[in-house]
Amino acid sequence: MIIKISKTLVILLLVLFLSGCWDYKDVDKRSIVIGIGIERIDNKIEFSTEVAKLKAQIGKKDKRAEITNVYTDAAYGNTFEEAREDYDARRPYPTFLGATRVVIFGTNIAKESIEPYLNRINRMYDYRKTLLPVVSREEPIKLLKIKVEKDVSVGFLIEDNINFLYKNGTTLYPNIGDLLSNIALKKVGYVIPYIGIEQGSIKYLGLAVMKNSKLIDTIEAQNTDGLLYLLAENPRLTETISGFKRSDNIYSFKTILKDRKIKTKYEQDKIIIDIDIELNGQLKYQYYLEPISEKEIDEIEDIISRKVADNIKNIIKKSQKVYKSDIFQFARYFRADNSKIYQKIDWIEKYPKAKVNVRVKFNMNNKNLFDPNAKVQH
């Protein structure tokens, strides 16, 4: 689902960034970059941008700026620096990056490594460190060229879509600062949003798995639950069970994280990670309405607890056996719990062999709605 922003809102937000920076007469002499794409095409670095051209409303009391155009541009070079030099050589006005909302890495450059460009962002004063990074299935410039209703910026569209899903607990919202922190630790991998084009629209597809800041896999959105239960700030996910009382009935539950505890220790030359997760949830609907007894509620809670635990175990096992990378940043917990041992061991070598214990407890909140013997409390 992609949420829409009005053109007026885009203008107001852009003006907010501009206020206090320059005299209003200079607004129409700045190229405001909203979205950036980085990709390798035919052995060249492609630096693509979505640019909003503003114009000062001279003569009006509030001296506000209005957007006159949103367009895409691209430049090429053997390195980031050459591509940027080529880009600047094409510009009639100075480029302003302080309003940039998203940086889109294509799969080619993501497989090579995005770390050089992350470090570049870190060193350039005009980039915001809260910038959203994403990986795109398609060439970034193809996303930036998509026509959005009412000429709304693609950069704002992507940022607001990921932010909307993040607030609803169904994805992660890392920023450049977070990724730089992970890189500094040198022991962990990470995941970032993965997007693409479907039926002419930009869509959230899932999560891109990064090891040594290189793309090694993608996880489809419908398969990210186990990971989100461990990494999302407030995961709010849907769990379903079928064939409980009749083979054609499906029960759908909305889960909410109540508590998450991760403890670590080191025994017999092995890392041990204990994960305890408690979930609350409500039965949202059944395909076919049936009363549920207290005994059956206990059975349902146990089924969902085991299902969630299995999903978490499966993605952790994949991180150990396939990725061989700590994409959950368990190293941070271990360093806090066992600082002296952490300094002595090689986390990268030890993590794939770590023993991970996962315990999940699901509590169904709206029991009385479906228990035919429940007593109504006034």
Side-chain angles (χ1 to χ4, degrees), residues 223-231 237 308 311-312 315 328:
N223 297 325
T224 59
D225 286 11
L227 188 148
L228 293 174
Y229 280 123
L230 292 176
L231 290 178
L237 305 172
V308 172
N311 285 338
I312 295 173
I315 189 61
F328 305 100

Side-chain angles (χ1 to χ4, degrees), residues 24-240:
Y24 78 95
K25 294 181 181 179
D26 292 329
V27 171
D28 60 345
K29 296 181 181 180
R30 301 280 175 171
S31 295
I32 313 300
V33 175
I34 306 302
I36 289 176
I38 305 292
E39 180 61 308
R40 184 173 292 283
I41 303 293
D42 298 329
N43 296 320
K44 293 283 188 178
I45 295 293
E46 180 182 74
F47 181 82
S48 55
T49 60
E50 180 187 42
V51 180
K53 191 67 175 67
L54 301 185
K55 183 177 181 180
Q57 296 180 346
I58 301 174
K60 294 191 176 183
K61 292 182 179 180
D62 56 6
K63 299 182 177 64
R64 292 170 60 180
E66 65 177 3
I67 193 167
T68 59
N69 193 16
V70 176
Y71 57 93
T72 57
D73 203 354
Y76 300 85
N78 293 318
T79 64
F80 292 132
E81 288 69 29
E82 287 185 12
R84 181 59 191 272
E85 288 176 4
D86 180 46
Y87 182 83
D88 289 341
R90 302 165 183 261
R91 315 307 304 164
Y93 303 114
T95 299
F96 177 63
L97 298 171
T100 307
R101 315 313 301 169
V102 62
V103 55
I104 308 168
F105 295 103
T107 53
N108 293 334
I109 199 71
K111 287 177 181 178
E112 289 182 20
S113 178
I114 66 173
E115 183 175 351
Y117 201 77
L118 295 178
N119 289 329
R120 179 181 175 85
I121 292 174
N122 189 39
R123 293 296 181 181
M124 295 183 69
Y125 73 92
D126 47 352
Y127 273 118
R128 297 178 306 115
K129 302 309 178 284
T130 54
L131 188 64
L132 171 68
V134 299
V135 172
S136 172
R137 182 179 61 189
E138 287 82 19
E139 186 181 345
I141 195 170
K142 291 182 179 179
L143 275 72
L144 295 176
K145 284 185 175 181
I146 287 180
K147 293 296 182 181
V148 185
E149 187 177 347
K150 297 181 180 179
D151 294 328
V152 176
S153 161
V154 170
F156 275 101
L157 185 69
I158 294 172
E159 182 194 42
D160 285 334
N161 174 229
I162 299 302
N163 190 44
F164 171 77
L165 295 173
Y166 166 72
K167 288 182 177 180
N168 280 275
T170 55
T171 193
L172 304 176
Y173 191 108
N175 58 46
I176 297 297
D178 295 329
L179 304 195
L180 290 169
S181 176
N182 291 330
I183 290 172
L185 189 58
K186 297 181 180 180
K187 303 290 185 180
V188 301
Y190 53 86
V191 293
I192 60 178
Y194 181 57
I195 63 176
I197 302 173
E198 290 198 356
Q199 298 179 340
S201 300
I202 299 172
K203 181 181 179 182
Y204 169 72
L205 301 177
L207 295 169
V209 181
M210 311 297 290
K211 178 181 180 180
N212 297 324
S213 292
K214 298 178 181 180
L215 175 66
I216 59 172
D217 195 17
T218 57
I219 306 173
E220 294 182 354
Q222 61 267 29
N223 297 325
T224 59
D225 286 11
L227 188 148
L228 293 174
Y229 280 123
L230 292 176
L231 290 178
E233 184 175 347
N234 294 298
R236 296 172 179 267
L237 305 172
T238 299
E239 298 292 342
T240 60

Side-chain angles (χ1 to χ4, degrees), residues 261-276:
K261 295 179 180 178
I262 299 176
K263 296 293 184 181
T264 65
K265 53 188 175 182
Y266 195 71
E267 294 180 353
Q268 298 180 346
D269 199 34
K270 179 173 287 190
I271 297 167
I272 299 175
I273 302 171
D274 293 318
I275 301 170
D276 285 280

